[in-house]
Amino acid sequence: MKKSNLLNYLMEFPNYLSLFLFSCFVMLASPILLDISKYFDVSPEKMNLIITYFMIGETAGFLILIFLSRKYNRKVIVLWAYILIIPILIGLILVTHLALFNILYFFAGCILGIIFMNANLSMLEGEVKNKDSVINLGHGFFATGALVSPFLT
């Protein structure tokens, strides 16, 4: 492997990290849904809605990125997404009402959907000529994030 080709693969690391973080966040709540339902004093069946809100938010994030990227640079959008995810995560930690928790989970889905979509688009537009290997490696990070997440909880 040429040195410049290796450097191109290393330049894709932020995309790999984005995929890892996305899948880690998606799977993070699953092992602790019972604990979260006890915290909010609701039945576990109602807690499964947070995954639905997240996925709807993720889809909205995909659309948001498509429309915002027509007007703004994608790097700026993703930078703002990373900035906005911090107060949302803090809010998820501190919230005491289930409705607000669901709303914050929806917005987390929006922000992470933007980050996820940008990572996939960036891998396709990157400098590496062998796009198959970049995407396979990226989704290996995605799978690793899903695997690691239950251990973090």
Side-chain angles (χ1 to χ4, degrees), residues 3 8 24 32 52 58 64-65 71 74 81 87 90 94 98 100 105 114-115 118 135 145-146 150 153:
K3 193 173 193 177
N8 289 337
C24 192
I32 57 172
T52 303
E58 176 189 356
I64 289 168
L65 180 66
K71 188 171 184 177
R74 271 199 346 241
I90 292 170
L94 300 175
L98 182 61
L100 188 57
Y105 227 77
I114 289 170
I115 292 168
N118 182 68
I135 292 172
T153 57

Short mmCIF file of all heavy atoms in Angstrom, two decimals, residues 3 8 24 32 52 58 64-65 71 74 81 87 90 94 98 100 105 114-115 118 135 145-146 150 153:
data_model
loop_
_atom_site.label_atom_id
_atom_site.label_comp_id
_atom_site.label_asym_id
_atom_site.label_seq_id
_atom_site.Cartn_x
_atom_site.Cartn_y
_atom_site.Cartn_z
N LYS A 3 2.17 5.04 0.58
CA LYS A 3 2.06 5.92 1.74
C LYS A 3 0.91 6.91 1.57
O LYS A 3 0.17 7.18 2.50
CB LYS A 3 3.38 6.65 1.95
CG LYS A 3 3.49 7.35 3.26
CD LYS A 3 4.88 7.90 3.46
CE LYS A 3 5.07 8.31 4.88
NZ LYS A 3 6.40 8.77 5.15
N ASN A 8 -4.72 8.56 2.87
CA ASN A 8 -6.12 8.76 2.48
C ASN A 8 -7.06 7.94 3.35
O ASN A 8 -8.14 8.41 3.72
CB ASN A 8 -6.33 8.40 1.01
CG ASN A 8 -5.68 9.39 0.08
OD1 ASN A 8 -5.43 10.54 0.45
ND2 ASN A 8 -5.38 8.96 -1.12
N CYS A 24 -23.28 3.34 18.48
CA CYS A 24 -23.16 3.24 19.93
C CYS A 24 -24.34 3.93 20.60
O CYS A 24 -24.94 3.40 21.53
CB CYS A 24 -21.84 3.85 20.37
SG CYS A 24 -21.39 3.50 22.06
N ILE A 32 -30.69 -0.75 29.06
CA ILE A 32 -31.13 -0.10 30.30
C ILE A 32 -32.55 0.45 30.21
O ILE A 32 -32.94 1.29 31.01
CB ILE A 32 -30.14 1.02 30.71
CG1 ILE A 32 -29.99 2.06 29.60
CG2 ILE A 32 -28.82 0.45 31.13
CD1 ILE A 32 -29.19 3.27 30.01
N THR A 52 -38.33 4.60 18.48
CA THR A 52 -39.14 5.10 17.36
C THR A 52 -38.89 6.59 17.15
O THR A 52 -38.68 7.04 16.01
CB THR A 52 -40.63 4.85 17.63
OG1 THR A 52 -40.82 3.45 17.85
CG2 THR A 52 -41.48 5.31 16.47
N GLU A 58 -33.82 10.52 13.07
CA GLU A 58 -32.72 10.18 12.16
C GLU A 58 -33.13 10.45 10.71
O GLU A 58 -32.37 11.06 9.94
CB GLU A 58 -32.33 8.72 12.33
CG GLU A 58 -31.28 8.25 11.39
CD GLU A 58 -31.08 6.75 11.44
OE1 GLU A 58 -31.70 6.07 12.27
OE2 GLU A 58 -30.29 6.26 10.61
N ILE A 64 -32.78 16.99 6.60
CA ILE A 64 -32.23 18.29 6.98
C ILE A 64 -30.87 18.50 6.32
O ILE A 64 -30.58 19.57 5.80
CB ILE A 64 -32.14 18.40 8.51
CG1 ILE A 64 -33.53 18.54 9.11
CG2 ILE A 64 -31.26 19.57 8.93
CD1 ILE A 64 -33.58 18.38 10.63
N LEU A 65 -30.02 17.47 6.36
CA LEU A 65 -28.70 17.60 5.75
C LEU A 65 -28.81 17.86 4.25
O LEU A 65 -28.09 18.69 3.70
CB LEU A 65 -27.85 16.36 6.00
CG LEU A 65 -26.44 16.43 5.40
CD1 LEU A 65 -25.61 17.51 6.07
CD2 LEU A 65 -25.75 15.10 5.47
N LYS A 71 -27.46 25.11 0.81
CA LYS A 71 -27.18 26.51 1.15
C LYS A 71 -25.86 26.68 1.89
O LYS A 71 -25.19 27.69 1.75
CB LYS A 71 -28.33 27.06 1.99
CG LYS A 71 -28.25 28.54 2.23
CD LYS A 71 -29.50 29.07 2.87
CE LYS A 71 -29.37 30.58 3.00
NZ LYS A 71 -30.55 31.18 3.54
N ARG A 74 -21.20 21.47 4.04
CA ARG A 74 -21.50 20.32 4.89
C ARG A 74 -20.60 20.26 6.11
O ARG A 74 -21.01 19.81 7.18
CB ARG A 74 -21.38 19.02 4.09
CG ARG A 74 -22.66 18.64 3.43
CD ARG A 74 -22.75 17.19 3.02
NE ARG A 74 -21.56 16.42 3.02
CZ ARG A 74 -21.05 15.83 1.94
NH1 ARG A 74 -21.62 15.98 0.78
NH2 ARG A 74 -19.97 15.10 2.04
N ALA A 81 -23.63 20.38 14.21
CA ALA A 81 -24.31 19.19 14.73
C ALA A 81 -23.58 18.65 15.96
O ALA A 81 -24.20 18.31 16.97
CB ALA A 81 -24.41 18.12 13.64
N PRO A 87 -25.44 19.80 24.34
CA PRO A 87 -26.52 20.16 25.25
C PRO A 87 -27.69 19.17 25.22
O PRO A 87 -28.36 18.98 26.24
CB PRO A 87 -26.97 21.55 24.79
CG PRO A 87 -26.30 21.83 23.52
CD PRO A 87 -25.19 20.84 23.35
N ILE A 90 -26.65 16.38 27.53
CA ILE A 90 -26.75 16.85 28.91
C ILE A 90 -28.22 16.89 29.33
O ILE A 90 -28.58 16.49 30.44
CB ILE A 90 -26.07 18.22 29.07
CG1 ILE A 90 -24.55 18.06 28.91
CG2 ILE A 90 -26.40 18.84 30.43
CD1 ILE A 90 -23.79 19.37 28.80
N LEU A 94 -30.27 14.95 32.45
CA LEU A 94 -30.92 15.71 33.52
C LEU A 94 -32.44 15.70 33.50
O LEU A 94 -33.06 16.09 34.48
CB LEU A 94 -30.44 17.16 33.49
CG LEU A 94 -28.93 17.38 33.67
CD1 LEU A 94 -28.58 18.84 33.49
CD2 LEU A 94 -28.49 16.86 35.03
N LEU A 98 -40.95 12.24 31.04
CA LEU A 98 -40.86 11.32 29.91
C LEU A 98 -41.10 12.02 28.58
O LEU A 98 -40.40 11.75 27.59
CB LEU A 98 -41.84 10.16 30.08
CG LEU A 98 -41.81 9.10 28.98
CD1 LEU A 98 -40.44 8.46 28.90
CD2 LEU A 98 -42.88 8.07 29.22
N LEU A 100 -40.49 15.11 27.69
CA LEU A 100 -39.30 15.88 27.34
C LEU A 100 -38.15 14.95 26.94
O LEU A 100 -37.38 15.25 26.03
CB LEU A 100 -38.88 16.78 28.50
CG LEU A 100 -37.77 17.77 28.24
CD1 LEU A 100 -38.13 18.68 27.07
CD2 LEU A 100 -37.51 18.60 29.47
N TYR A 105 -34.79 12.89 22.68
CA TYR A 105 -34.31 11.73 21.93
C TYR A 105 -34.57 11.92 20.44
O TYR A 105 -33.77 11.50 19.59
CB TYR A 105 -34.98 10.45 22.44
CG TYR A 105 -34.00 9.33 22.66
CD1 TYR A 105 -33.18 9.32 23.77
CD2 TYR A 105 -33.87 8.29 21.75
CE1 TYR A 105 -32.25 8.30 23.98
CE2 TYR A 105 -32.97 7.28 21.94
CZ TYR A 105 -32.16 7.29 23.06
OH TYR A 105 -31.25 6.30 23.24
N ILE A 114 -27.86 13.61 10.83
CA ILE A 114 -27.02 14.51 10.03
C ILE A 114 -25.58 14.01 10.02
O ILE A 114 -24.94 13.93 8.97
CB ILE A 114 -27.10 15.95 10.59
CG1 ILE A 114 -28.48 16.55 10.31
CG2 ILE A 114 -26.01 16.82 10.02
CD1 ILE A 114 -28.73 17.87 11.02
N ILE A 115 -25.09 13.64 11.19
CA ILE A 115 -23.71 13.17 11.30
C ILE A 115 -23.51 11.86 10.53
O ILE A 115 -22.52 11.68 9.82
CB ILE A 115 -23.32 13.03 12.79
CG1 ILE A 115 -23.26 14.41 13.45
CG2 ILE A 115 -22.01 12.27 12.95
CD1 ILE A 115 -23.17 14.37 14.96
N ASN A 118 -23.69 12.46 6.72
CA ASN A 118 -22.48 13.14 6.26
C ASN A 118 -21.30 12.17 6.20
O ASN A 118 -20.49 12.23 5.27
CB ASN A 118 -22.15 14.32 7.16
CG ASN A 118 -20.93 15.05 6.67
OD1 ASN A 118 -20.95 15.67 5.62
ND2 ASN A 118 -19.84 14.94 7.42
N ILE A 135 -15.93 1.85 2.62
CA ILE A 135 -17.27 1.68 3.17
C ILE A 135 -17.33 0.45 4.06
O ILE A 135 -17.94 0.46 5.13
CB ILE A 135 -18.31 1.64 2.03
CG1 ILE A 135 -18.37 3.03 1.39
CG2 ILE A 135 -19.67 1.21 2.53
CD1 ILE A 135 -19.17 3.12 0.14
N GLY A 145 -19.26 -0.26 17.20
CA GLY A 145 -19.99 0.64 18.09
C GLY A 145 -21.21 -0.03 18.69
O GLY A 145 -21.52 0.12 19.87
N ALA A 146 -21.94 -0.79 17.87
CA ALA A 146 -23.10 -1.52 18.36
C ALA A 146 -22.70 -2.62 19.35
O ALA A 146 -23.42 -2.91 20.30
CB ALA A 146 -23.88 -2.12 17.20
N PRO A 150 -23.47 -1.98 24.66
CA PRO A 150 -24.01 -2.63 25.87
C PRO A 150 -23.02 -2.72 27.02
O PRO A 150 -23.40 -2.68 28.18
CB PRO A 150 -24.42 -4.03 25.38
CG PRO A 150 -24.61 -3.87 23.93
CD PRO A 150 -23.65 -2.82 23.49
N THR A 153 -22.99 0.59 28.96
CA THR A 153 -24.12 0.83 29.86
C THR A 153 -23.99 0.01 31.11
O THR A 153 -24.48 0.32 32.14
CB THR A 153 -25.46 0.49 29.18
OG1 THR A 153 -25.44 -0.86 28.74
CG2 THR A 153 -25.73 1.42 28.04
#
